[in-house]
Amino acid sequence: MSILEQKMRSSLRRLGVRRTSSVVVAVSGGADSTALLDALVRQQTKRGVPASIVAAHFNHLLRGAESDADEAFVQALANRLLVPLVTGREDVAAAARAGKKNLEATARRLRYSFLMATARDCGASRVLTAHNLDDQVETFLMRLLRGSGPDGLRGIHPEVDLGEGVTLIRPLLEVRRAQVLAYCTHFDLEFRADSSNASPDFTRNRVRLELVPLLRAFNPRFDEAVARAATLLAEDEEYLERRAAEVIEESAGRLEAARLASAPKALRRRAVRLWLSRARRTLARVEASHLEALEELAIEGSDGKVVELPGGWRATLEDGWLTVKWLDEAQKTQD
Amino acid sequence: MSILEQKMRSSLRRLGVRRTSSVVVAVSGGADSTALLDALVRQQTKRGVPASIVAAHFNHLLRGAESDADEAFVQALANRLLVPLVTGREDVAAAARAGKKNLEATARRLRYSFLMATARDCGASRVLTAHNLDDQVETFLMRLLRGSGPDGLRGIHPEVDLGEGVTLIRPLLEVRRAQVLAYCTHFDLEFRADSSNASPDFTRNRVRLELVPLLRAFNPRFDEAVARAATLLAEDEEYLERRAAEVIEESAGRLEAARLASAPKALRRRAVRLWLSRARRTLARVEASHLEALEELAIEGSDGKVVELPGGWRATLEDGWLTVKWLDEAQKTQD
């Protein structure tokens, strides 16, 4: 059994995929997702795990004829492997323009909502994506370069709860890209030029082509070293976030300043972030400096003091409680 | 006021150095420690903080006439700044040979024991060393390359309790090397060629000369990004280690397997490490794989099962308790 199959198998077991599981596999047609689908079908044939596999392909309509050729390629692959394929298509560029949002973020949002809908339609409990160890290392490094704290350095999550009983899992997260390519070569699998190689993400490409090779020259097992650090950081983060949730429990929209102030520093940061993400429903555009300002407001602020947050939100300290409110444009102008 | 003085001043305040404090400054004669001593004397003159400064120079006798010239240089510097100087000397190479220990580790041990003795003799509560932000970044990267977990990635500690009421502090840990050199240029300070530039530590030099410049090309404020991550990791680590200590409390040399097994993963790792470091009195030569084996022994092991540890130590699970014992050579041969 190839190293990819071994690692995929132990990941799937750890991530709770069993003989009775139904899964949806996201397939772009690149090397990673082609190998994942092929290896998964191979395992199903040999071991009967998982019970059912549905492939899902999302056409972003971003590269004209090339996007259509990707879709046709995935259709042919699914036919050959005797796997049902669900396709979705959306004009991502138009959606981004209409919503005045970043293209990549819009693409991700639409893609994941398609995958979620597909899982729901198929009664699947798991959505599989083919992120690999190289993606993990690149993400870790990009976040380190950007100044992320421990929660960012934990990297790509092997498992994300999507709600409604569906979990996103990444069973190739410990498999190197070179091992994916070796798998494709070994089984003579064709794949479409990986879109990530032509990614518009300039920093990621530079990290991949300049930084990672230098780090591997220091330690040929650098990728595994980062993966280990990310795993340990994820374990810490999980525990710390659970403890931080206890700090804000029963706060029902408001946050008790005294309770926050008496918590250890490691929990304070996380409690503020968690509280804000619940009260404001998103952390979009919130930066570390905003969270620090809220922490300071709770600990040292005097009653009636205010912290302005992105998107017209405002946090206030009143009678020892932090609250956050959205001010509409009219109110803001009146101020 | 220069950036070095500003950052030193706020670090000293944060680290509890006051108008009444007595401090010992470790001075090698390199740029970092020369600047630290000079800036500290300057602050004392202007603000009366700290109350007293003693310089301490340790001659490792490793580079013959050059080592003696370093000592003479530091003596002249101390004379000029009107600071008392305590010097110590030890044949570090001979001590390493005699103890069959690594040269760098021996040098560090002897140097810190000299600094501790000097602090005790002077009634000082603080020992200051001149590690800077570049040292911090290099240490972080070297540990990342080596596969350290969160506890290693927290990097150089700004503050270490040396016992007997003495604390080691590093008030230049947020100052870049370039800022140290600018300080020296600005005040026309001479210094000895920094021994770390000719360091026998090949990896550190490569990290400094090849890796760091590339990372700064990605983000000119990369150093500060790493420093921030290290600070947050240190806060997390402090909290997690405190909680882990609760897992092993009352264990008196033994560790209750059931109690360890029921702790969250993030605490288990740390509890095992802490327990072993107390029971065996050192973690020398203990690797992550040993700690994992101990964790597994506690969680899944059956009674009477054994884990061998470096240096002739052995951990055993008996009646639900982990114990660790040192087997002398005679016993080992009998086994």
Side-chain angles (χ1 to χ4, degrees), chain A residues 186-228:
Chain A
H186 182 78
F187 288 113
D188 203 18
L189 289 179
E190 279 180 57
F191 51 86
R192 299 284 295 171
D194 195 330
S195 61
S196 60
N197 290 332
S199 156
D201 190 337
F202 181 65
T203 307
R204 185 174 286 270
N205 279 334
R206 273 191 68 203
V207 164
R208 179 180 303 174
L209 299 175
E210 295 175 39
L211 185 52
V212 172
L214 178 59
L215 292 162
R216 285 187 189 146
F218 278 93
N219 176 6
R221 296 187 62 76
F222 172 72
D223 298 66
E224 284 78 3
V226 166
R228 183 173 169 273

Side-chain angles (χ1 to χ4, degrees), chain B residues 246-298:
Chain B
E246 294 169 10
V247 175
I248 64 161
E249 76 190 0
E250 300 163 25
S251 64
R254 304 188 307 165
L255 177 59
E256 195 178 354
R259 188 154 182 199
L260 186 73
S262 68
K265 256 187 150 185
L267 300 188
R268 285 210 296 257
R269 287 188 273 130
R270 292 179 168 90
V272 166
R273 192 176 56 203
L274 184 62
W275 167 71
L276 188 64
S277 75
R278 288 184 186 169
R280 188 173 167 265
R281 257 179 269 146
T282 165
L283 286 176
R285 291 167 57 207
V286 171
E287 293 176 13
S289 59
H290 298 119
L291 298 176
E292 279 161 28
L294 287 174
E295 211 179 309
E296 212 184 294
L297 178 61

Side-chain angles (χ1 to χ4, degrees), chain A:
Chain A
M1 195 164 51
S2 68
I3 185 88
L4 182 146
E5 288 169 282
Q6 284 171 38
K7 294 202 167 178
M8 183 191 75
R9 195 182 156 201
S10 75
S11 289
L12 289 173
R13 197 180 308 135
R14 203 169 49 239
L15 295 165
V17 173
R18 320 225 175 281
R19 200 170 278 275
T20 54
S21 308
S22 296
V23 308
V24 167
V25 185
V27 185
S28 68
D32 297 320
S33 55
T34 300
L36 174 60
L37 184 62
D38 185 272
L40 200 66
V41 169
R42 211 171 279 276
Q43 163 163 323
Q44 189 187 39
T45 309
K46 276 197 250 174
R47 300 206 158 69
V49 177
S52 91
I53 303 173
V54 171
H57 177 81
F58 187 67
N59 189 335
H60 299 76
L61 299 172
L62 282 172
R63 289 171 300 133
E66 222 190 305
S67 292
D68 292 338
D70 285 351
E71 185 176 326
F73 171 85
V74 174
Q75 186 64 66
L77 175 70
N79 291 348
R80 185 173 64 70
L81 294 173
L82 305 174
V83 168
L85 173 72
V86 179
T87 57
R89 46 172 61 206
E90 196 115 25
D91 188 340
V92 170
R97 274 195 306 274
K100 289 183 189 162
K101 300 278 185 193
N102 166 294
L103 185 65
E104 243 184 299
T106 306
R108 195 183 312 116
R109 185 174 58 78
L110 293 173
R111 187 169 61 244
Y112 279 108
S113 96
F114 161 71
L115 291 170
M116 184 69 198
T118 307
R120 218 186 286 118
D121 293 348
C122 306
S125 63
R126 296 285 191 291
V127 172
L128 278 58
T129 66
H131 293 87
N132 63 35
L133 181 52
D134 294 53
D135 297 322
Q136 176 70 299
V137 169
E138 290 157 14
T139 299
F140 179 96
L141 291 172
M142 287 170 67
R143 296 200 181 155
L144 179 64
L145 284 164
R146 217 167 51 200
S148 284
D151 56 310
L153 297 180
R154 64 176 291 190
I156 301 173
H157 297 206
E159 195 174 6
V160 179
D161 183 1
L162 296 179
E164 305 181 43
V166 180
T167 310
L168 172 72
I169 61 175
R170 293 166 167 137
L172 299 190
L173 207 48
E174 288 173 15
V175 179
R176 285 188 176 206
R177 186 167 291 136
Q179 292 165 337
V180 170
L181 296 175
Y183 181 92
C184 293
T185 304
H186 182 78
F187 288 113
D188 203 18
L189 289 179
E190 279 180 57
F191 51 86
R192 299 284 295 171
D194 195 330
S195 61
S196 60
N197 290 332
S199 156
D201 190 337
F202 181 65
T203 307
R204 185 174 286 270
N205 279 334
R206 273 191 68 203
V207 164
R208 179 180 303 174
L209 299 175
E210 295 175 39
L211 185 52
V212 172
L214 178 59
L215 292 162
R216 285 187 189 146
F218 278 93
N219 176 6
R221 296 187 62 76
F222 172 72
D223 298 66
E224 284 78 3
V226 166
R228 183 173 169 273
T231 302
L232 296 180
L233 285 165
E235 289 174 11
D236 291 354
E237 192 62 31
E238 202 188 306
Y239 173 71
L240 290 164
E241 287 180 1
R242 212 163 56 230
R243 305 291 314 199
E246 293 169 11
V247 175
I248 63 161
E249 75 189 1
E250 299 162 25
S251 63
R254 304 188 306 165
L255 177 59
E256 195 178 354
R259 189 156 183 198
L260 186 72
S262 67
K265 255 186 150 186
L267 300 188
R268 284 207 298 256
R269 286 189 272 130
R270 292 179 169 91
V272 166
R273 192 175 57 203
L274 185 61
W275 167 71
L276 188 64
S277 76
R278 287 185 186 168
R280 188 173 167 264
R281 256 177 272 147
T282 163
L283 285 177
R285 291 167 57 206
V286 171
E287 292 176 13
S289 60
H290 298 120
L291 299 176
E292 280 161 28
L294 288 174
E295 212 179 308
E296 213 184 292
L297 178 62
I299 292 171
E300 295 165 18
S302 45
D303 247 35
K305 229 185 145 189
V306 153
V307 167
E308 301 291 346
L309 295 167
W313 288 76
R314 171 181 287 177
T316 321
L317 180 68
E318 269 169 308
D319 299 327
W321 290 83
L322 272 186
T323 52
V324 63
K325 276 194 208 102
W326 186 69
L327 310 168
D328 65 33
E329 285 307 312
Q331 266 186 286
K332 276 175 80 183
T333 319
Q334 278 182 357
D335 280 351

Side-chain angles (χ1 to χ4, degrees), chain B residues 161-194:
Chain B
D161 183 2
L162 295 179
E164 304 181 41
V166 180
T167 310
L168 173 72
I169 62 175
R170 293 166 167 137
L172 299 189
L173 206 50
E174 289 174 13
V175 179
R176 283 188 177 208
R177 186 168 291 137
Q179 293 165 336
V180 169
L181 296 175
Y183 180 91
C184 292
T185 304
H186 183 78
F187 289 113
D188 203 17
L189 289 179
E190 279 180 56
F191 51 84
R192 299 284 293 171
D194 196 329

